[in-house]
Amino acid sequence: MTTTTLAPMPTGSPLPTALKGRTVMIIGGSSGIGLAAGALLTSVGARVALVARDPGRLEAALDHLRATPGASALGISADGNDESEVERALDQVGEVDHVLVTAGSISGGALLDTPRDQVAAAVDGRIWGPYGVARAAAPRLPAGGSITLTSGLYLVRPVPGAAASIAGIGAVEALTKALAVELAPRRLRVNAVRYGAIDTPLSRAVMGLADDAAVAAAGQGLLIGRLGTAQEAASAALFLMANNLITGTVLSVDGGQALA
Ligand SMILES: NC(=O)c1ccc[n+]([C@@H]2O[C@H](COP(=O)([O-])OP(=O)(O)OC[C@H]3O[C@@H](n4cnc5c(N)ncnc54)[C@H](OP(=O)(O)O)[C@@H]3O)[C@@H](O)[C@H]2O)c1
């Protein structure tokens, strides 16, 4: 990749004004943490582009965002693991200042029962998804722009039956630091958020939580006595994209789950 020497990283006021008028693409924006990030960004005056695969869910997410007066939101149906689709989405949006990647899921099975090809797609998505997003976005983002990736607590507190997915999460954190160094000459920043249990459609499905009572019960054993909200989780991503002093950082947002 050829780079030109730029001026130092621009300074700017951090939240709440830093993101006002900026354009943020959220890959994985139609549900859970990504959708909550879209809502928060809309509320601080950012322009938001949601990217996800399912057009129906995307439309519902856009309706949710557009309920905020003055909201500027568009949706693009695309696969975030496909670099050419991400390029198309970026072209469609035009100027983009920050990219947040929340797309991803946990899949697995016990090691001895699960051949590699059964988990390849999930692992590929964790590695080549963010890699392709960074390749597509880096030439387009302005100085001070950022890429924020998503990691998970299972990396440091593994559970049985998810080894391949957890290895994929490890790759996300490795990419975060490597790309922060590589893209620094462009004055781009790369960070990640490592989430503990957050109440979203994904965690409800993975943890088998059928209703709010089950979610509340699941949270009782945690240090703060509950799961995190999607809004709490998303606000950490906004914090990282808004602050030009932060790059190469993996921020844990887990309600202390790493400790107990
Ligand atoms: N919730 C938790 O407790 C927790 C904990 C640790 C880490 N995480 C991580 O945080 C991220 C967000 O989780 P969440 O709970 O918010 O999940 P979620 O509610 O299932 O939302 C995931 C979003 O990503 C989109 N998506 C998935 N694969 C995609 C792809 N290939 N291309 C484009 N969009 C894609 C989904 O829409 P489509 O399916 O329509 O594309 C959806 O909009 C995930 O990476 C997850 O592993 C979550």
Side-chain angles (χ1 to χ4, degrees):
M1 191 184 290
T2 55
T3 57
T4 50
T5 304
L6 292 176
M9 181 74 72
T11 52
S13 57
L15 280 174
T17 53
L19 299 171
K20 186 175 163 60
R22 303 292 181 195
T23 299
V24 182
M25 175 178 280
I26 305 170
I27 300 175
S30 69
S31 174
I33 299 166
L35 177 55
L40 281 176
L41 286 160
T42 297
S43 74
V44 298
R47 177 177 172 244
V48 174
L50 304 181
V51 176
R53 294 165 302 178
D54 184 284
R57 209 150 63 133
L58 194 54
E59 208 46 52
L62 283 172
D63 287 346
H64 175 65
L65 295 195
R66 287 171 180 159
T68 301
S72 174
L74 76 157
I76 299 165
S77 179
D79 184 349
N81 293 339
D82 183 327
E83 188 178 325
S84 62
E85 290 200 20
V86 175
E87 283 177 338
R88 174 179 59 79
L90 285 160
D91 288 344
Q92 202 171 321
V93 177
E95 282 181 16
V96 174
D97 298 286
H98 303 282
V99 178
L100 169 63
V101 183
T102 57
S105 60
I106 287 282
S107 61
L111 176 72
L112 298 184
D113 300 332
T114 314
R116 180 179 151 174
D117 58 343
Q118 276 181 30
V119 287
V123 178
D124 281 0
R126 287 284 180 199
I127 300 172
W128 302 121
Y131 189 90
V133 168
R135 273 178 51 80
R140 292 168 166 86
L141 295 178
S146 72
I147 300 169
T148 305
L149 305 178
T150 300
S151 171
L153 182 75
Y154 286 165
L155 182 61
V156 291
R157 295 201 68 177
V159 292
S165 276
I166 292 168
I169 292 168
V172 171
E173 295 201 7
L175 272 176
T176 299
K177 292 176 189 299
L179 294 178
V181 171
E182 184 161 339
L183 297 179
R186 293 178 178 271
R187 304 299 180 240
L188 301 180
R189 300 174 295 110
V190 185
N191 296 292
V193 190
R194 183 196 290 161
Y195 292 116
I198 309 297
D199 181 13
T200 68
L202 175 69
S203 59
R204 286 187 181 222
V206 169
M207 296 166 74
L209 307 174
D211 52 28
D212 290 348
V215 172
Q220 276 172 8
L222 305 182
L223 211 57
I224 63 166
R226 63 169 174 82
L227 269 60
T229 68
Q231 190 179 47
E232 289 170 327
S235 71
L238 268 69
F239 169 74
L240 293 175
M241 68 180 76
N243 194 322
N244 280 358
L245 198 54
I246 305 178
T247 192
T249 290
V250 178
L251 178 63
S252 286
V253 178
D254 63 7
Q257 258 186 287
L259 303 175

Coordinates of all heavy atoms in Angstrom, one line a residue, residues 37-74:
A37 N -25.8 1.7 18.3 CA -24.8 2.7 17.9 C -25.4 3.7 16.9 O -25.2 4.9 16.9 CB -23.6 2.0 17.3
G38 N -26.2 3.1 15.9 CA -26.9 4.0 14.9 C -27.8 5.0 15.6 O -27.8 6.2 15.3
A39 N -28.5 4.5 16.6 CA -29.5 5.4 17.3 C -28.7 6.5 18.1 O -29.1 7.7 18.1 CB -30.3 4.6 18.3
L40 N -27.6 6.1 18.8 CA -26.8 7.1 19.5 C -26.2 8.1 18.6 O -26.2 9.3 18.9 CB -25.7 6.4 20.3 CG -26.1 5.7 21.6 CD1 -24.9 5.0 22.2 CD2 -26.6 6.7 22.6
L41 N -25.7 7.6 17.5 CA -25.0 8.5 16.5 C -26.0 9.5 15.9 O -25.7 10.7 15.8 CB -24.4 7.7 15.4 CG -23.1 7.0 15.8 CD1 -22.7 5.9 14.9 CD2 -21.9 8.0 15.9
T42 N -27.2 9.0 15.6 CA -28.3 9.9 15.1 C -28.6 11.0 16.2 O -28.8 12.1 15.8 CB -29.5 9.0 14.8 OG1 -29.2 8.1 13.8 CG2 -30.7 9.9 14.4
S43 N -28.6 10.6 17.4 CA -29.0 11.5 18.5 C -27.9 12.6 18.7 O -28.2 13.7 19.2 CB -29.3 10.8 19.8 OG -28.1 10.4 20.4
V44 N -26.7 12.3 18.3 CA -25.6 13.4 18.4 C -25.4 14.1 17.1 O -24.4 14.8 16.9 CB -24.3 12.8 19.0 CG1 -24.5 12.3 20.4 CG2 -23.7 11.8 18.0
G45 N -26.3 13.8 16.1 CA -26.2 14.6 14.8 C -25.3 14.0 13.8 O -24.9 14.7 12.8
A46 N -24.9 12.8 13.9 CA -24.1 12.1 12.9 C -25.1 11.6 11.8 O -26.2 11.3 12.0 CB -23.3 11.0 13.4
R47 N -24.5 11.5 10.6 CA -25.2 10.8 9.5 C -24.8 9.3 9.5 O -23.6 9.0 9.7 CB -24.7 11.4 8.2 CG -25.2 10.9 6.9 CD -24.7 11.7 5.7 NE -25.1 11.1 4.4 CZ -24.2 10.6 3.6 NH1 -22.9 10.7 3.8 NH2 -24.6 10.1 2.4
V48 N -25.8 8.5 9.4 CA -25.5 7.0 9.7 C -25.9 6.2 8.4 O -26.9 6.4 7.8 CB -26.4 6.6 10.9 CG1 -26.2 5.1 11.1 CG2 -25.9 7.3 12.1
A49 N -25.0 5.3 8.1 CA -25.3 4.3 7.0 C -25.2 2.9 7.6 O -24.2 2.5 8.1 CB -24.2 4.4 5.9
L50 N -26.4 2.3 7.7 CA -26.4 0.9 8.2 C -26.2 -0.1 7.1 O -26.8 0.0 6.0 CB -27.8 0.6 8.8 CG -28.3 1.6 9.9 CD1 -29.7 1.1 10.4 CD2 -27.3 1.7 11.1
V51 N -25.3 -1.1 7.4 CA -25.1 -2.2 6.4 C -25.4 -3.5 7.1 O -24.9 -3.7 8.2 CB -23.6 -2.2 5.9 CG1 -23.4 -3.3 5.0 CG2 -23.3 -0.8 5.2
A52 N -26.2 -4.3 6.5 CA -26.5 -5.6 7.0 C -27.1 -6.4 5.8 O -27.4 -5.8 4.7 CB -27.5 -5.6 8.1
R53 N -27.2 -7.7 6.0 CA -27.6 -8.5 4.8 C -29.2 -8.6 4.6 O -29.6 -8.5 3.5 CB -27.1 -10.0 5.0 CG -25.6 -10.0 4.9 CD -25.0 -11.3 5.5 NE -25.5 -11.5 6.9 CZ -25.2 -12.6 7.6 NH1 -24.5 -13.6 7.1 NH2 -25.7 -12.7 8.8
D54 N -29.9 -8.8 5.7 CA -31.3 -9.0 5.6 C -32.1 -7.7 5.3 O -32.1 -6.8 6.2 CB -31.9 -9.7 6.8 CG -33.3 -10.0 6.8 OD1 -34.2 -9.1 6.9 OD2 -33.7 -11.2 6.6
P55 N -32.7 -7.5 4.1 CA -33.3 -6.2 3.8 C -34.5 -5.9 4.7 O -34.6 -4.7 5.0 CB -33.7 -6.4 2.3 CG -33.1 -7.6 1.8 CD -32.8 -8.5 3.0
G56 N -35.2 -6.9 5.1 CA -36.4 -6.6 6.0 C -36.0 -6.0 7.3 O -36.5 -5.0 7.8
R57 N -35.0 -6.7 7.9 CA -34.5 -6.2 9.2 C -33.9 -4.8 9.1 O -34.0 -4.0 10.0 CB -33.5 -7.2 9.8 CG -33.5 -7.3 11.3 CD -33.1 -8.6 11.8 NE -31.8 -9.1 11.5 CZ -31.0 -9.7 12.4 NH1 -31.3 -9.7 13.7 NH2 -29.8 -10.1 12.0
L58 N -33.2 -4.6 8.0 CA -32.5 -3.3 7.7 C -33.6 -2.2 7.6 O -33.4 -1.1 8.2 CB -31.8 -3.5 6.4 CG -30.7 -2.4 6.0 CD1 -29.7 -2.2 7.1 CD2 -30.0 -2.8 4.7
E59 N -34.7 -2.5 6.9 CA -35.7 -1.5 6.8 C -36.4 -1.2 8.1 O -36.6 0.0 8.4 CB -36.8 -2.1 5.8 CG -37.6 -1.0 5.0 CD -36.7 0.1 4.4 OE1 -35.8 -0.2 3.7 OE2 -37.1 1.2 4.7
A60 N -36.6 -2.2 8.9 CA -37.1 -1.9 10.3 C -36.2 -1.1 11.1 O -36.6 -0.2 11.9 CB -37.4 -3.3 11.0
A61 N -34.9 -1.4 11.0 CA -33.9 -0.6 11.7 C -33.9 0.9 11.3 O -33.8 1.8 12.1 CB -32.5 -1.2 11.5
L62 N -34.0 1.1 10.0 CA -34.0 2.4 9.5 C -35.3 3.2 10.0 O -35.2 4.4 10.4 CB -34.0 2.4 7.9 CG -32.7 2.1 7.3 CD1 -32.9 2.0 5.8 CD2 -31.7 3.3 7.6
D63 N -36.4 2.5 10.0 CA -37.6 3.1 10.5 C -37.4 3.6 12.0 O -37.8 4.6 12.4 CB -38.8 2.1 10.5 CG -39.3 1.9 9.1 OD1 -38.9 2.7 8.2 OD2 -40.0 0.9 8.9
H64 N -36.7 2.7 12.7 CA -36.4 3.0 14.1 C -35.5 4.3 14.2 O -35.8 5.2 15.0 CB -35.7 1.8 14.8 CG -35.2 2.0 16.2 ND1 -36.0 2.2 17.2 CD2 -33.9 2.1 16.7 CE1 -35.3 2.4 18.3 NE2 -34.0 2.3 18.0
L65 N -34.5 4.4 13.4 CA -33.6 5.6 13.5 C -34.3 6.8 13.0 O -34.2 7.9 13.6 CB -32.4 5.3 12.6 CG -31.4 4.3 13.0 CD1 -30.1 4.4 12.3 CD2 -31.1 4.3 14.5
R66 N -35.1 6.7 11.9 CA -35.8 7.8 11.3 C -36.9 8.4 12.2 O -37.4 9.5 11.9 CB -36.3 7.5 9.9 CG -35.1 7.4 8.9 CD -35.6 6.8 7.6 NE -34.5 6.7 6.7 CZ -34.5 5.9 5.6 NH1 -35.6 5.1 5.4 NH2 -33.5 5.8 4.8
A67 N -37.2 7.7 13.3 CA -38.2 8.2 14.2 C -37.6 9.4 15.0 O -38.4 10.2 15.6 CB -38.6 7.1 15.2
T68 N -36.3 9.5 15.0 CA -35.6 10.7 15.6 C -35.7 11.9 14.7 O -35.3 11.8 13.6 CB -34.2 10.4 15.9 OG1 -34.1 9.3 16.8 CG2 -33.5 11.6 16.6
P69 N -36.4 13.0 15.1 CA -36.5 14.2 14.2 C -35.1 14.6 13.7 O -34.1 14.7 14.5 CB -37.1 15.2 15.1 CG -37.8 14.5 16.3 CD -37.0 13.2 16.5
G70 N -35.0 14.9 12.4 CA -33.8 15.4 11.9 C -32.8 14.3 11.6 O -31.7 14.5 11.1
A71 N -33.1 13.0 11.8 CA -32.2 11.9 11.6 C -31.8 11.8 10.1 O -32.6 12.0 9.2 CB -32.8 10.6 12.1
S72 N -30.5 11.5 9.9 CA -30.0 11.2 8.5 C -29.5 9.8 8.5 O -28.4 9.5 9.1 CB -28.9 12.3 8.2 OG -28.4 11.9 6.9
A73 N -30.3 8.9 8.0 CA -29.9 7.5 8.0 C -30.2 6.8 6.7 O -31.3 7.1 6.1 CB -30.6 6.8 9.1
L74 N -29.3 6.0 6.2 CA -29.7 5.2 5.0 C -29.2 3.8 5.3 O -28.4 3.5 6.2 CB -29.0 5.8 3.7 CG -27.5 5.6 3.5 CD1 -27.3 5.7 2.0 CD2 -26.7 6.6 4.2

